[in-house]
Amino acid sequence: MKKTYTIIAALALAAAAYSQDGGNGLPPRLSPQADNLFQPSDCDEDGWLWFDTQDKIDRYVGAANNEDGAWQVGGKLVQLGTTNYSPYDECYALPDFEGVGTDGTIGSDGARTGGIAIQPSSANMTFNGGCVMFYLPTCKKFDMVLASESSIKVRLKANTTPDDAGLAYTDYRVVNAKYATVFGKLSGPGMKEWYDLQNLTNGSDDLKFDTRQPMVALLENCASDTLYLQAVRIYTYEPSTLGIDEVAAPGLGINISRRAVTLTEPRDISVCTLAGAVVASAKAARTLSLASLPAGAYIVRAGDKSRKVVIR
């Protein structure tokens, strides 16, 4: 009997330790991996990208095509939209504003500095607030840290055709609106670590952020107070899961070394950022230099093959 109690106690302790990271979140102290969407050097030891320096904001955050209310094709990985009511206030990012602590008060215990301010909606539970969009080349894990001085009400939407520059973000498909109604909110005032957005659905179809195809994910503020996005954690599917680096064209191989791409057969080569912008290319070539590219993650495409490369 004593042995049984010992086992039960051990299991309870393990469950408690697991729940400290949100139940379904990544385990504590998980180091950033190669499949982190963002550069590991910009993330903390748990893989979170905090928007707490101007350098990180400049690298990853930019304005959407707000003149047309659309995703900026070839723009930054994280793009800021506007409210959908006059005067169409833009969301903004600052590395040094004082954040909201766990009790919902600015500067209280647990508060972090820096983040993205998402403009409020015209009224509570109204679908016209500011929005933030994220480019997902693929996605297997999607978490974020939000904060507000009042209740957090949000809606999630998706664009499954991110190369369509004419699709307004007001016309994106709804992934989940559970936390934007009179019956539900994501949390009360304070900080909220929100895990596993990739598993959320709208209950009527299979649309969700767990994707093996490019997608734009949108977070919309549906509360009448400013919402702060302070950190995000996005993990993409590993190349082996996607079949990247497997032979798609017989006899063709992609080798990357010494800051150059080398093919076993001539092909059109292109190098793109994770947001889809082409930064280098060559026609019917066997080699392409990467020497001029800054540090970062890229997708190399040759024929119908592709490979992810990280330049440090």
Side-chain angles (χ1 to χ4, degrees), residues 44-108:
D44 69 12
E45 57 189 349
D46 296 327
W48 290 102
L49 174 71
W50 294 89
F51 300 103
D52 55 2
T53 69
Q54 191 61 51
D55 182 61
K56 287 189 282 187
I57 290 173
D58 290 342
R59 182 173 298 121
Y60 298 112
V61 182
N65 175 12
N66 290 321
E67 183 175 344
D68 299 323
W71 174 257
Q72 182 68 55
V73 176
K76 297 294 181 71
L77 289 176
V78 181
Q79 297 188 15
L80 310 182
T82 70
T83 60
N84 194 33
Y85 62 95
S86 181
Y88 303 97
D89 292 325
E90 295 186 356
C91 301
Y92 57 92
L94 291 174
D96 53 3
F97 70 72
E98 195 170 20
V100 177
T102 54
D103 65 355
T105 304
I106 292 177
S108 62

Side-chain angles (χ1 to χ4, degrees), residues 137-152:
T138 65
C139 179
K140 66 178 179 181
K141 190 79 171 77
F142 192 1
D143 309 319
M144 60 178 63
V145 177
L146 301 170
S148 177
E149 294 181 81
S150 60
S151 294
I152 297 176

Side-chain angles (χ1 to χ4, degrees), residues 107-228:
S108 62
D109 288 346
R112 297 282 300 243
T113 58
I116 294 172
I118 308 174
Q119 299 285 2
S121 58
S122 58
N124 255 336
M125 299 172 292
T126 304
F127 299 140
N128 61 4
C131 62
V132 176
M133 290 160 279
F134 310 85
Y135 181 79
L136 309 177
T138 65
C139 179
K140 66 178 179 181
K141 190 79 171 77
F142 192 1
D143 309 319
M144 60 178 63
V145 177
L146 301 170
S148 177
E149 294 181 81
S150 60
S151 294
I152 297 176
K153 291 183 177 290
V154 293
R155 183 169 67 157
L156 298 171
K157 302 172 73 177
N159 171 9
T160 57
T161 56
D163 291 332
D164 182 359
L167 182 64
Y169 43 72
T170 53
D171 295 329
Y172 286 11
R173 294 168 60 191
V174 174
V175 172
N176 188 276
K178 175 182 178 181
Y179 304 108
T181 70
V182 67
F183 303 107
K185 61 185 178 183
L186 182 62
S187 78
M191 291 185 67
K192 170 65 177 178
E193 294 184 359
W194 193 10
Y195 298 93
D196 294 324
L197 280 72
Q198 78 280 359
N199 294 331
L200 296 175
T201 66
N202 55 33
S204 61
D205 58 37
D206 59 357
L207 178 65
K208 57 183 180 178
F209 297 137
D210 185 338
T211 179
R212 289 171 172 79
Q213 300 296 326
M215 177 184 290
V216 173
L218 181 147
L219 171 72
E220 179 183 19
N221 186 5
C222 302
S224 56
D225 203 353
T226 302
L227 175 66
Y228 299 98

